[in-house]
Amino acid sequence: MLDELGGVTDEPGRLTRTFLSPAMERANQLVGGWMREAGLTVREDETGNLIGRLNSAVPGAKTLLLGSHLDTVRNAGRFDGALGVVLPIVALAELKQRGVTLPYHVEVLAFSEEEAVRFTGAYIGSKAYTGRLRAADLKLRDARNHTLREVIEAHAGRPYVPPKAAHRPGDVLGYLEVHIEQGPVLEAKKLAVGVVSAIASQTRGRLTFRGKAGHAGTTPMDLRRDALAGAAEFILYAEAFAGARPPLVATVGTIQVPAGAANVIPGEVRLSLDVRHPSDAACAAALADLVRQAERTARRRQLTCEWQPTMQHAATPCSPELTKQLARSVRAVQGRGLSLVSGAGHDAVVMAALTPVAMLFVRCRDGLSHHPAEYAAPKDLAVALKVTVDFLQRLAAES
Ligand code: GLV
Ligand code: MN
Ligand code: MN
């Protein structure tokens, strides 16, 4: 299933699926078919979230949510996001085959956007599902200068009014997200799976350096105000700054020279900055230092520098109760448990505003993710599947 889904792409020869793209529609059709085969009823909301629901016959039952995202980074692997959608479907199909019925409703959520590739703000899918999509989000623009609102309205074919949350908190049991670890800890500890205790604090934004464009052949070096040279100095500073302060991480992942040409001194440069730390205070302090340094670099080079935050989330603790239940299933299946902090962001961050969340991490080869060679072994996926089935059944026994 993951291989098949990994072939559904917007770019020939490599896996890229972005918010409300043609490949996302095809992915929803494919996954929607698997949901139906597992006995779920399927709907899609206006923001392209795919929602598969299995109703329990028990009156007044609450709903357990399981899921992750179907969008990807550019040139992605097959597992990031997709695993957390496919695995619960297989778990429910397995229970159906065993003739097990659950005393609670289940929804499998395939969120339409988590990676912030098309728009610089992440979590559009889970924000829409939890009623947290704000006016500021709808004003974000993609590379073609379309606002998020315009893109949603073109897809839905009608004016978009951001919905209320899909559920009242009291109607939900919790949210479980299964995800590849995207790091090397499980591999080092020789474990197939582990539970997540918390998700690190994260800030993303855009830095714009402005200088003066000019002729590359006629302007002497000492009379230039080169925005790209200033940005380059800042990028190396950010690398050294975070490198000296583990577990802080800082990444400049994109850089654009909008009017760039080989024979023009760069007049304007935009770069993305992503800063993460398990502690909110340390993350905020590091970001403030980095922005101050960008401003200092700009001043010294007679440039200007503007910081525009696009995304921020505080460190998100997983629910101790739900995680304890998940950890019991991990011990039952794997013998040994392990708890780790996630440096990556996940839909669970947004879902935590609605309901208790728990996350199961699955070992991935070389800790590699956001890369086409991303890989999790079938035997590890089997462990994750057994843990999920065990978790669903323990929850059934207790509710
Ligand atoms: C999501 O993949 C992230 O960047 O943490
Ligand atoms: Mn990702
Ligand atoms: Mn992910």
Side-chain angles (χ1 to χ4, degrees):
M1 291 160 90
L2 289 164
D3 284 346
E4 194 176 349
L5 193 50
V8 181
T9 176
D10 289 310
E11 295 182 325
R14 61 183 203 164
L15 172 55
T16 303
R17 284 194 302 264
T18 60
F19 181 65
L20 291 182
S21 72
M24 281 300 286
E25 280 187 36
R26 295 200 301 280
N28 278 3
Q29 275 163 19
L30 181 64
V31 174
W34 294 333
M35 286 175 166
R36 283 187 199 95
E37 279 168 31
L40 281 66
T41 53
V42 180
R43 72 181 176 93
E44 195 182 304
D45 74 11
E46 291 160 300
T47 56
N49 289 321
L50 184 73
I51 299 149
R53 187 170 169 90
L54 185 64
N55 276 320
S56 160
V58 175
K62 294 188 181 188
T63 303
L64 178 70
L65 309 173
L66 302 106
S68 194
H69 57 101
L70 286 184
D71 71 316
T72 71
V73 293
R74 290 197 181 91
N75 199 18
R78 289 163 289 159
F79 298 85
D80 177 359
L83 176 63
V85 176
V86 167
L87 193 129
I89 299 173
V90 178
L92 292 173
E94 171 69 19
L95 289 176
K96 183 176 169 216
Q97 205 205 338
R98 292 187 201 170
V100 176
T101 55
L102 297 169
Y104 49 82
H105 312 305
V106 178
E107 271 182 20
V108 178
L109 308 172
F111 292 119
S112 55
E113 202 286 330
E114 187 265 2
E115 298 283 14
V117 171
R118 181 165 181 182
F119 295 92
T120 44
Y123 305 125
I124 295 167
S126 47
K127 279 183 173 173
Y129 184 81
T130 55
R132 295 166 65 85
L133 210 50
R134 303 281 176 251
D137 296 313
L138 294 171
K139 286 186 192 145
L140 290 170
R141 287 181 184 274
D142 67 7
R144 294 200 174 139
N145 212 25
H146 294 135
T147 63
L148 176 56
R149 175 183 288 285
E150 287 162 3
V151 169
I152 294 173
E153 292 186 345
H155 173 78
R158 57 178 177 274
Y160 180 61
V161 182
K164 292 211 180 79
H167 300 277
R168 285 182 307 216
D171 296 339
V172 185
L173 284 170
Y175 171 74
L176 172 66
E177 182 163 354
V178 181
H179 205 285
I180 53 165
E181 181 201 339
Q182 306 182 279
V185 177
L186 287 169
E187 196 171 57
K189 302 274 182 196
K190 298 191 173 12
L191 289 171
V193 299
V195 299
V196 176
S197 56
I199 300 165
S201 186
Q202 175 176 157
T203 301
R204 282 186 222 175
R206 182 190 290 154
L207 271 171
T208 306
F209 287 89
R210 289 192 184 87
K212 191 157 190 249
H215 198 292
T218 60
T219 317
M221 298 307 286
D222 61 340
L223 296 181
R224 296 179 178 206
R225 291 164 54 209
D226 182 331
L228 183 53
E233 186 179 324
F234 170 74
I235 293 170
L236 292 178
Y237 176 87
E239 183 191 38
F241 180 87
R245 293 166 180 77
L248 177 69
V249 287
T251 307
V252 175
T254 69
I255 183 155
Q256 289 148 359
V257 187
N263 59 352
V264 179
I265 299 161
E268 180 175 320
V269 172
R270 296 182 205 143
L271 50 89
S272 62
L273 177 64
D274 176 312
V275 180
R276 307 185 191 197
H277 194 286
S279 140
D280 292 333
C283 189
L287 179 74
D289 272 6
L290 285 167
V291 171
R292 255 197 314 274
Q293 180 63 26
E295 287 162 355
R296 267 199 295 268
T297 304
R299 256 196 315 277
R300 185 165 34 75
R301 290 173 162 269
Q302 293 181 283
L303 310 171
T304 62
C305 173
E306 189 189 330
W307 166 247
Q308 188 192 4
T310 54
M311 189 188 124
Q312 201 280 327
H313 71 70
T316 305
C318 290
S319 150
E321 293 76 30
L322 206 61
T323 303
K324 208 186 291 170
Q325 281 167 296
L326 183 62
R328 250 190 332 189
S329 296
V330 168
R331 280 195 304 277
V333 174
Q334 181 173 254
R336 224 158 26 110
L338 182 76
S339 171
L340 54 171
V341 173
S342 172
H346 297 287
D347 293 297
V349 167
V350 176
M351 295 300 287
L354 174 74
T355 189
V357 302
M359 286 197 73
L360 182 70
F361 265 0
V362 183
R363 169 167 54 188
C364 57
R365 190 169 61 199
D366 296 332
L368 189 64
S369 184
H370 287 183
H371 189 283
E374 187 179 273
Y375 179 77
K379 65 176 178 17
D380 291 351
L381 301 183
V383 173
L385 179 61
K386 281 188 190 149
V387 169
T388 304
V389 168
D390 185 90
F391 175 79
L392 291 169
Q393 292 194 288
R394 279 177 204 266
L395 211 58
E398 280 160 18
S399 48

